[in-house]
Amino acid sequence: MGRAGSTRRTFVAGAGATAGAVAAGSVAALGKAQTATAAPGAEARHAADSVAVLGGGVAGLTAAHELAERGFAVTVYERRALGGKARSMGVPDSAKGGRRPLPAEHGFRFIPGIYHNLPDTMRRTPFPGNANGVWDNLVAPKEMMMARTGYEDLRIPLPWPGHQPAQLTLDDIRRALRGLLDAAKGLPAHEVAYFVNRAVVFLTSCDERRDRQWEATPWWDFVRAERMSHTYQRLLAVGVTRNIVATKAEEASTRTVGTLGEAFVFNALGRGADGPPDRILNAPTNEAWIDPWVTHLRSLGVEFKVGWSVRELRYGDGRITSVSIEDPDGVRRNVTADHYVQAMPVEHARPTWSAELKAADPQLARCDKLETDWMTGIQFYLTERTPILHGHLNCVDSPWSLTAIAQATHWPGRDFPADYGDGTVRDCLSVDISEWDKPGMLYGKTAKKCTREEVAREVWAQLKAALNDTGKNVLRDSVLHSWFLDPGVDGIGTPNPTNEDELLIHPVGTLHHRPTAKTKIPNLFLSGDYVAVDIDLATMEGANASAREAVNALLDQVGSSAPRCAVIPLFRAPELESFKRHDRLRFRLGLRNLFDLG
């Protein structure tokens, strides 16, 4: 969503790059020198302290990493597969002739330059031949595209120091100019000016106004979408929310959408960036990142128990006394440790909390108000390379809010037909479906009401409608080899569809329901993308930062002298701080922001 986190935030990245251009010159990564590592002797100090990490996704692996470096005895319990929603997987029965299975995933990984904590962990994860560990496996796409059905697609370059621009034909240049003119024609000047004003209002708003007024204001209302043109609504209201935060513009918190947009704009301007606005891995996620990470954690002494499902946190005498966990054979076991870091998605954590536990810490009860929605990936395997673009694709007008990327061109170290599948597949088009409750084009049904086969056919049709609508035959049925839909989705096409991997969404008020990493139970700490951290979005960065917060809270609880984990916040432009101080006074006086024209 990296994506996702998820996850999938390419629209804002492109908008930031377009609005701000990209400052020339190199940009030093923020916070590299702030990383804290375990002090000598930490192992001896904490040899008797055991920690059960409940969950083996990005949050759980990060917590295990930080704890193991500080000498704790760590065991990770994961119900399904290490890496969680971030992992890649093989398509069953697809490997032939000694090749690996076709690579699949819950959704494509996206690790933008606004992230700092996750890249720090990646630098500290060794990878053979890489001076900067797994971090060196990040590559930056050269462009992105907003595909408008019935309009020329808008192709946006993403320049960055050291980047080689994408090669363009004369036809590409002609289409790019038409796309820009179509966008300009569809967006009246007064609407552009108004949206820019709204951006200025948010940029100069103080934290109090953001946390109270803008957290309570839907993005749709903030940008006055109801009064604007269809193009404005699709690009600047619906596109920013449904395709990126997997929530509806009519409901999404302005604080969440604005905070993310602000971060991407400064990233595109080269301010406070770890790297380019758009980065992906140069191989399937497990090959480039998760497997080397797990190998490194094993070398630090971390023990993994995969296939173990947490059922209940047992509470008594003011503490967690044990955890009831079902092992791979279906046998319930009581697991005990000195400390517990619960690193599970909120929808899986909530059923493990008893009424007594939630009464002991009311912030756990408030988590019942957090909302999740479906954002799930499907991969199409093609017998030819796709001539779409070198980067992410946003199908702005697609009924199911599709975003996608053709992966083979970004994996230079992989010979796709030689390495994967049966030798005939040359590319993987990885697609995220963000809208599961709106009727599609072919069957007039929502994605949840379609069978798996109908979902695949519908998504393929929506992709072709977005890409083949202006005379360029980008996708052809004859090159489609096969497809793979995330196995976490089950029962679609029946009255009771389920999704094992839902995504936290951000309707108004969500901020005030998110818990902190430290709980009122002295041996329980929370980690996950729903925990309150600086990046107000369900992302891998949020999962990583929350794990660092949880470890720091644990260290404080035991009075450890080990160095605390660095938790690097989002960049704040110093030149805006005076405006925010002025706005704080206006907010406390009950006045609107100085630039707010209403």
Side-chain angles (χ1 to χ4, degrees):
M1 86 287 96
R3 280 205 164 161
S6 255
T7 115
R8 294 78 79 156
R9 281 72 180 168
T10 55
F11 180 92
V12 177
T18 305
V22 179
S26 60
V27 180
L30 176 68
K32 287 183 182 178
Q34 301 179 40
T35 302
T37 55
E43 292 83 356
R45 285 199 302 275
H46 298 299
D49 290 89
S50 60
V51 183
V53 175
L54 310 177
V58 171
L61 295 180
T62 302
H65 194 156
E66 301 293 348
L67 288 164
E69 284 190 345
R70 288 158 177 80
F72 289 86
V74 181
T75 303
V76 176
Y77 298 87
E78 163 57 36
R79 67 186 174 92
R80 184 179 53 190
L82 297 175
K85 286 182 285 190
R87 79 195 188 285
S88 58
M89 64 199 89
V91 176
D93 303 319
S94 64
K96 307 293 181 184
R99 300 176 184 84
R100 305 171 196 174
L102 290 170
E105 55 198 355
H106 167 70
F108 53 77
R109 298 298 95 215
F110 171 52
I111 305 172
I114 67 172
Y115 291 4
H116 293 289
N117 297 286
L118 185 67
D120 169 68
T121 298
M122 298 177 99
R123 288 187 179 91
R124 292 156 48 207
T125 303
F127 190 90
N130 287 0
N132 297 300
V134 164
W135 186 87
D136 282 341
N137 290 339
L138 294 175
V139 294
K142 300 174 182 179
E143 56 188 343
M144 69 162 290
M145 180 190 292
M146 289 185 286
R148 299 293 314 280
T149 302
Y151 299 85
E152 188 65 65
D153 299 331
L154 183 58
R155 193 165 175 170
I156 303 168
L158 297 175
W160 194 257
H163 244 214
Q164 291 294 323
Q167 295 296 314
L168 299 177
T169 66
L170 183 60
D171 184 59
D172 290 332
I173 295 171
R174 179 182 61 82
R175 290 177 178 276
L177 290 173
R178 279 185 54 191
L180 287 170
L181 291 173
D182 280 349
K185 181 173 59 178
L187 280 172
H190 74 276
E191 293 187 355
V192 174
Y194 186 78
F195 186 82
V196 170
N197 170 259
R198 303 314 287 166
V200 170
V201 168
F202 189 86
L203 286 170
T204 57
S205 289
C206 65
D207 291 341
E208 289 179 38
R209 190 183 299 277
R210 294 184 182 197
D211 292 352
R212 299 182 193 177
Q213 183 178 359
W214 302 143
E215 176 62 21
T217 304
W219 179 253
W220 183 269
D221 294 346
F222 180 75
V223 298
R224 304 295 191 270
E226 186 66 34
R227 309 176 189 175
M228 303 300 184
S229 66
H230 177 72
T231 298
Y232 181 100
Q233 292 173 353
R234 294 304 305 175
L235 291 180
L236 302 178
V238 174
V240 170
T241 54
R242 198 168 296 172
N243 288 52
I244 297 148
V245 197
T247 191
K248 297 176 175 60
E250 296 85 351
E251 303 172 359
S253 155
T254 291
R255 181 189 187 277
T256 296
V257 178
T259 298
L260 183 66
E262 176 183 25
F264 273 117
V265 167
F266 284 119
N267 188 178
L269 292 169
R271 302 292 303 279
D274 181 84
D278 190 358
R279 293 182 300 189
I280 59 177
L281 291 161
N282 63 2
T285 306
N286 273 42
E287 295 179 34
W289 174 27
I290 300 299
D291 289 347
W293 197 6
V294 171
T295 297
H296 179 57
L297 296 185
R298 290 188 195 278
S299 75
L300 295 176
V302 176
E303 183 179 357
F304 293 99
K305 292 187 177 294
V306 178
W308 295 60
S309 300
V310 177
R311 299 305 184 196
E312 182 184 0
L313 273 61
R314 301 271 172 80
Y315 176 73
D317 297 325
R319 301 175 64 83
I320 302 300
T321 57
S322 65
V323 178
S324 175
I325 301 183
E326 190 174 292
D327 70 15
D329 296 322
V331 177
R332 286 285 188 104
R333 299 178 180 272
N334 284 334
V335 170
T336 59
D338 296 315
H339 316 283
Y340 303 86
V341 176
Q342 189 166 24
M344 299 161 58
V346 66
E347 69 273 19
H348 294 291
R350 285 184 298 215
T352 71
W353 300 335
S354 65
E356 292 79 11
L357 184 60
K358 290 193 284 189
D361 190 346
Q363 70 171 342
L364 300 181
R366 289 198 298 273
C367 287
D368 288 340
K369 298 180 180 180
L370 295 176
E371 298 181 31
T372 59
D373 204 347
W374 290 32
M375 188 176 189
T376 303
I378 183 171
Q379 289 76 53
F380 295 96
Y381 302 100
L382 312 177
T383 56
E384 293 181 6
R385 289 283 188 96
T386 53
I388 301 176
L389 77 163
H390 194 285
H392 285 98
L393 163 71
N394 188 328
C395 299
V396 177
D397 298 308
S398 58
W400 290 357
S401 296
L402 306 180
T403 50
I405 189 166
Q407 294 181 316
T409 188
H410 302 290
W411 297 348
R414 300 291 183 272
D415 183 334
F416 212 102
D419 292 342
Y420 303 108
D422 61 7
T424 65
V425 175
R426 296 185 175 276
D427 208 346
C428 172
L429 182 59
S430 188
V431 184
D432 283 344
I433 308 168
S434 297
E435 175 58 79
W436 285 77
D437 295 304
K438 185 175 180 179
M441 296 168 48
L442 294 183
Y443 305 105
K445 297 190 293 187
T446 69
K448 290 178 183 176
K449 293 181 179 179
C450 289
T451 65
R452 298 178 76 86
E453 291 75 16
E454 288 172 339
V455 166
R457 287 195 288 268
E458 179 73 54
V459 172
W460 184 252
Q462 291 186 28
L463 289 170
K464 290 195 298 181
L467 295 169
N468 295 355
D469 59 326
T470 54
K472 193 171 183 179
N473 195 19
V474 176
L475 291 182
R476 293 178 288 111
D477 294 342
S478 60
V479 305
L480 179 57
H481 175 278
S482 55
W483 54 269
F484 181 81
L485 178 63
D486 182 11
V489 171
D490 191 27
I492 55 175
T494 75
N496 298 300
T498 60
N499 189 341
E500 287 289 300
D501 299 297
E502 296 192 19
L503 179 73
L504 180 74
I505 58 173
H506 297 75
V508 293
T510 297
L511 173 70
H512 307 299
H513 305 317
R514 298 178 69 159
T516 60
K518 181 180 180 180
T519 75
K520 292 186 177 180
I521 295 87
N523 64 339
L524 175 63
F525 308 90
L526 301 180
S527 175
D529 61 13
Y530 70 99
V531 175
V533 291
D534 193 54
I535 188 167
D536 183 27
L537 191 68
T539 59
M540 295 185 294
E541 174 76 350
N544 184 281
S546 71
R548 293 166 179 246
E549 295 275 17
V551 171
N552 286 346
L554 191 158
L555 295 174
D556 291 343
Q557 181 66 37
V558 301
S560 173
S561 60
R564 297 321 188 242
C565 308
V567 184
I568 306 167
L570 288 172
F571 173 74
R572 293 177 68 108
E575 56 267 42
L576 294 179
E577 293 304 309
S578 61
F579 292 102
K580 293 178 181 178
R581 288 193 295 270
H582 179 72
D583 188 59
R584 183 167 61 246
L585 176 61
R586 292 182 64 87
F587 180 76
R588 292 177 178 178
L589 292 173
L591 301 174
R592 64 174 57 182
N593 180 277
L594 179 65
F595 301 99
D596 194 342
L597 303 178

